[in-house]
């Protein structure tokens, strides 16, 4: 049991915090959007009441199911998918399982999480502004960015963020993403930006 994204609050909820303490709602770039429940029931295989603090992604189920079915995965398939079989079965495994996890918002704004650190490209929440008619303000659906640097070359899709604006959060110390540490930690910004650009250039994160 899981979800593809966090909830989008509705007035009928009467202020209920549907995403718990996490910042953001469906379609944005914050933790309330990407941090979702994951409950696995597999009698005789997954230990009852066991938990794991490993960061996993829904894309990981592609390679995991292939492993369980003894199915080969072509090199050009599941480029961001990790096999989480050992995590599910409580077996020893390389920690952390994945080097980093990439997220994006409905507007195409990207974030990368490595360990406790999360870098967000852009200064906004990553959602799109509605038009007067309540629709989506789209000039084009083909934004262009430099694969080497990650910088936007054309910024006319859902008001994508400026190339040199970043947000940096330490999710261990600040899970609510209330304090932007980008100005205080330029080295960490550079490190995570370079890793995200490397993933873009190589076409994979696995």
């Amino acid at each position: 049991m899981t979800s593809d994204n966090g909830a989008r609050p509705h007035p009928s909820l009467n202020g209920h915090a549907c995403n718990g303490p996490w910042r953001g709602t469906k379609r944005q770039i914050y933790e309330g959007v990407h941090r979702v429940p994951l409950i696995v029931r597999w009698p005789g295989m997954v230990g009852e009441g066991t938990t794991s603090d490993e960061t996993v992604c829904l894309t990981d189920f592609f390679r995991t199911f292939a492993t369980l079915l003894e199915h080969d995965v072509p090199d050009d398939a599941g480029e961001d998918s990790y096999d989480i079989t050992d995590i599910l079965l409580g077996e020893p495994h390389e920690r952390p399982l994945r080097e980093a996890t990439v997220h994006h918002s409905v507007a195409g704004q990207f974030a990368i999480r490595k360990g406790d650190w999360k870098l967000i490209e852009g200064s906004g929440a990553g959602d799109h502004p509605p038009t007067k008619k309540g629709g989506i303000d789209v000039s084009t659906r083909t934004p262009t960015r430099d694969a080497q640097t990650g910088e936007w070359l054309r910024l006319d899709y859902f008001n994508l963020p400026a190339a040199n604006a970043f947000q940096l959060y330490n999710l261990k110390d600040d899970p609510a993403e209330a304090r932007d540490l980008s100005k205080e930690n330029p080295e960490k910004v550079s490190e995570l930006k370079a890793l995200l650009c490397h993933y873009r250039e190589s076409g994979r994160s696995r």
Side-chain angles (χ1 to χ4, degrees):
M1 191 285 290
T2 187
S3 173
D4 61 341
N5 49 246
R8 184 180 179 190
H10 189 274
S12 64
L13 294 175
N14 296 318
H16 170 66
C18 52
N19 291 326
W22 315 115
R23 179 180 181 182
T25 68
K26 179 181 177 180
R27 299 178 177 171
Q28 295 182 341
I29 197 65
Y30 298 117
E31 287 297 284
V33 185
H34 302 286
R35 187 185 292 248
V36 296
L38 172 58
I39 300 173
V40 176
R41 182 177 184 272
W42 190 4
M45 300 298 288
V46 174
E48 183 177 347
T50 57
T51 62
S52 173
D53 59 4
E54 281 285 343
T55 299
V56 300
C57 186
L58 291 182
T59 57
D60 296 335
F61 282 104
F62 177 87
R63 191 167 293 272
T64 302
F65 292 150
T67 297
L68 294 174
L69 295 171
E70 300 181 352
H71 224 310
D72 291 334
V73 176
D75 187 60
D76 61 350
E79 297 93 339
D80 300 305
S81 186
Y82 285 72
D83 177 8
I84 64 171
T85 304
D86 287 341
I87 295 176
L88 296 176
L89 302 182
E91 300 290 340
H93 60 277
E94 184 177 346
R95 296 176 184 269
L97 177 71
R98 50 170 59 246
E99 178 182 33
T101 306
V102 176
H103 305 291
H104 69 84
S105 75
V106 68
Q109 184 175 356
F110 278 78
I112 183 169
R113 175 181 176 178
K114 182 180 180 182
D116 296 328
W117 292 96
K118 178 179 176 181
L119 180 73
I120 298 173
E121 290 185 320
S123 57
D127 49 3
H128 54 76
T131 64
K132 292 182 180 180
K133 296 182 179 180
I136 299 175
D137 183 12
V138 181
S139 299
T140 176
R141 291 185 180 273
T142 54
T144 305
R145 75 186 311 161
D146 188 303
Q148 300 288 335
T149 66
E151 293 186 2
W152 294 105
L153 304 178
R154 189 162 66 190
L155 300 175
D156 51 1
Y157 179 73
F158 293 151
N159 289 350
L160 287 168
N164 294 318
F166 295 96
Q167 301 170 63
L168 180 70
Y169 300 101
N170 185 298
L171 297 179
K172 180 179 180 181
D173 299 335
D174 178 27
E177 294 171 290
R179 185 183 176 199
D180 181 0
L181 301 175
S182 59
K183 298 295 188 292
E184 301 170 33
N185 297 273
E187 298 86 1
K188 183 60 67 174
V189 170
S190 296
E191 173 195 339
L192 295 178
K193 177 183 177 183
L195 182 58
L196 182 56
C197 290
H198 168 68
Y199 287 166
R200 287 196 184 102
E201 180 182 354
S202 61
R204 63 178 59 235
S205 62
R206 187 183 56 80

Coordinates of all heavy atoms in Angstrom, one line a residue, residues 17 78 101 185:
A17 N -4.6 18.3 8.7 CA -3.2 18.2 8.1 C -3.0 16.9 7.4 O -2.4 15.9 8.0 CB -2.2 18.4 9.2
G78 N 14.5 0.9 -16.7 CA 14.5 1.1 -15.3 C 15.8 1.7 -14.8 O 16.5 1.3 -13.9
T101 N 18.3 10.3 -4.5 CA 16.9 10.2 -5.1 C 16.5 11.5 -5.7 O 16.7 12.6 -5.1 CB 15.9 9.8 -4.0 OG1 16.3 8.7 -3.3 CG2 14.5 9.5 -4.6
N185 N 25.8 27.0 3.0 CA 26.5 25.8 2.6 C 26.7 25.7 1.1 O 26.2 24.8 0.5 CB 25.7 24.5 3.1 CG 25.6 24.4 4.6 OD1 26.5 23.9 5.3 ND2 24.5 25.0 5.1

